[in-house]
Amino acid sequence: METTTRRSVDEAPLTRFHVKLTVFSSGGPFIDGYALSIIGIALITMQPALQLSATEIGLLGAASLIGIFVGGGLFGWVTDKVGRHKMYIIDLLALALFSVLCGVSTDVWQVIACRFMLGVAIGADYPIATSLLAEFLPRRYRGRLLGATFVVWAIGAAAAYLVGYLFRDFGPDAWRILLATPAVFAIITLLFRLGTPESARWLLSRGRVDEARAVVKKVYGEQYEVEDLGEPSDASTPRATFASVFRGEYLKRTLFVAIFWTAQVIPMFAVYTFAPDLLASFGMTGDANLYGGSLIISLFFVVGGIPGLLVVDRIGRRKLMIYSFALATAVLIIPALIPGVGAWPLFIALTLFAFASGSANFLQIVYPNELFPTEVRATAVGIGTAFSRIGSATSTYLMPLAILHFGAAGSLAIGGIVSLVGLIATFVLAPETANRSLTDTATNRVVAGSGG
């Protein structure tokens, strides 16, 4: 008697397509890290050129973060409605346009407006690119490859400091060149993304079965069928809606994503945006210290991501995040307890924080994509992005004032307290989703509080 073996795309082998899609999807996080960090370098020449006030400096740092709040919150929902592929291309065109407009602005308020719109485009790319990627990746590789796209964020930030150093002698208008450079990376990423197929899971969720089948066979092979996606196909099965992320079990998950993501990005963005100012407040001077020190810190974000990616599918998401928050809390708070702490201990604390943060900040991409079903996956990622940027925009706006009133050690300690909140929330709310299918993790079949 002939038997048939049920296949699953979650068990499919990793292919060249998956690797290419990971690289193409990484373009958005790279531009995000680059664009959000380049403003800190641009301010060195922009501040005297435009005679910026403290309020204007704060707004310039926060404008793109507020834009990400709008872009993530709105365009995650749009992406679930119109599809991943269309938005995958459109938002990069917007990124390029508003980067160029930043460079040709003649007034600080024009720069602030363009940085806001740039943030909207960046915020849109989080739910667009990561949802598309998550819905194609086999479960065994999902944590590492999704996470790798966000480690690229730190590479983009490091590249910003390197570019800033190269353009440091271009005179009082160097800031114009720096703020326009994200357009170069946006166009390159756009060209690579052309031709990417629509998500088969999304097509199936919209009832476009034949199109979903064609994508499955093209990506995974002729031996696979649309049923191998493991997505619910019974029309009588209740389907998730936008409101679902604020009800029942999904409300708990939304709350968890919002808290841990916010706790990660508040100190991270404050450090990235104002690294040169922080180092100056430590007593460091000269280009080698300000640019070089900022570059070293940003590289530690990258270095921290390497061991994180290696163990995320082995020890699980929950344990990795607990270790990361615990180390970040300790290294940011301890210097404030040392009387008369010097510049080098503070610098070491920042580098250790960068390592701790980098080891798990890619879970901002992994967790929300795994905890919600296809119909609202992009919406959930967008909501997480939006909530996190409320805190990060506030902290970026207030960072110059914090340095002024609390000093370097006190400013770092505030970041440590925020990390402690993230640690507590992870203990209480975090489920484990490692090595499970998207269908299982998007239902109640996740292990709450399990170390995996």
Side-chain angles (χ1 to χ4, degrees), residues 215-447:
V215 172
V216 167
K217 290 185 175 296
K218 178 181 178 181
V219 171
Y220 300 102
E222 288 294 329
Q223 70 272 31
Y224 287 91
E225 298 293 337
V226 71
E227 291 79 13
D228 298 329
L229 289 170
E231 293 283 338
S233 57
D234 185 354
S236 64
T237 302
R239 308 294 281 177
T241 63
F242 180 85
S244 298
V245 299
F246 298 107
R247 291 200 300 253
E249 176 65 22
Y250 290 136
L251 173 60
K252 178 181 176 181
R253 298 180 191 185
T254 300
L255 182 64
F256 162 62
V257 169
I259 293 175
F260 96 76
W261 199 336
T262 301
Q264 283 186 328
V265 301
I266 283 178
M268 183 179 74
F269 279 128
V271 170
Y272 266 119
T273 305
F274 295 107
D277 298 89
L278 278 170
L279 295 179
S281 72
F282 294 173
M284 294 183 174
T285 58
D287 285 351
N289 284 331
L290 296 183
Y291 288 99
S294 298
L295 178 60
I296 290 172
I297 291 168
S298 63
L299 287 175
F300 266 82
F301 278 101
V302 180
V303 172
I306 296 172
L309 290 175
L310 292 176
V311 303
V312 65
D313 289 318
R314 189 181 312 155
I315 69 172
R317 285 63 160 136
R318 186 173 184 271
K319 281 185 179 178
L320 178 60
M321 190 177 294
I322 287 173
Y323 296 153
S324 171
F325 272 133
L327 179 56
T329 299
V331 299
L332 291 179
I333 290 180
I334 289 175
L337 305 178
I338 303 174
V341 61
W344 281 106
L346 289 170
F347 177 73
I348 293 171
L350 270 186
T351 57
L352 289 176
F353 163 73
F355 182 88
S357 176
S359 70
N361 64 9
F362 60 82
L363 291 176
Q364 298 165 18
I365 297 299
V366 178
Y367 251 132
N369 274 295
E370 292 182 334
L371 288 175
F372 296 88
T374 300
E375 308 94 282
V376 291
R377 182 167 290 119
T379 300
V381 177
I383 289 172
T385 304
F387 273 109
S388 70
R389 268 38 179 196
I390 297 174
S392 57
T394 302
S395 68
T396 304
Y397 176 73
L398 294 177
M399 176 56 81
L401 297 176
I403 296 173
L404 179 63
H405 291 287
F406 301 106
S411 300
L412 296 188
I414 293 172
I417 294 171
V418 172
S419 296
L420 179 61
V421 172
L423 176 62
I424 295 170
T426 303
F427 266 116
V428 176
L429 298 173
E432 183 53 74
T433 58
N435 297 311
R436 293 178 171 85
S437 71
L438 284 181
T439 304
D440 284 347
T441 59
T443 66
N444 288 332
R445 297 193 295 272
V446 293
V447 183

Side-chain angles (χ1 to χ4, degrees), residues 50 101-111 175-176:
L50 298 183
L101 290 177
C102 278
V104 298
S105 296
T106 57
D107 186 86
V108 63
W109 294 105
Q110 294 174 3
V111 181
W175 64 270
R176 295 185 180 277

Side-chain angles (χ1 to χ4, degrees), residues 83-134:
R84 282 69 163 121
H85 180 260
K86 290 179 182 177
M87 301 302 298
Y88 197 56
I89 302 300
I90 292 172
D91 79 301
L92 285 173
L93 292 172
L95 266 169
L97 172 64
F98 290 109
S99 295
V100 172
L101 290 177
C102 278
V104 298
S105 296
T106 57
D107 186 86
V108 63
W109 294 105
Q110 294 174 3
V111 181
I112 291 171
C114 289
R115 291 286 297 180
F116 168 79
M117 294 304 300
L118 179 69
V120 171
I122 290 172
D125 198 72
Y126 276 94
I128 296 166
T130 64
S131 295
L132 182 67
L133 181 59

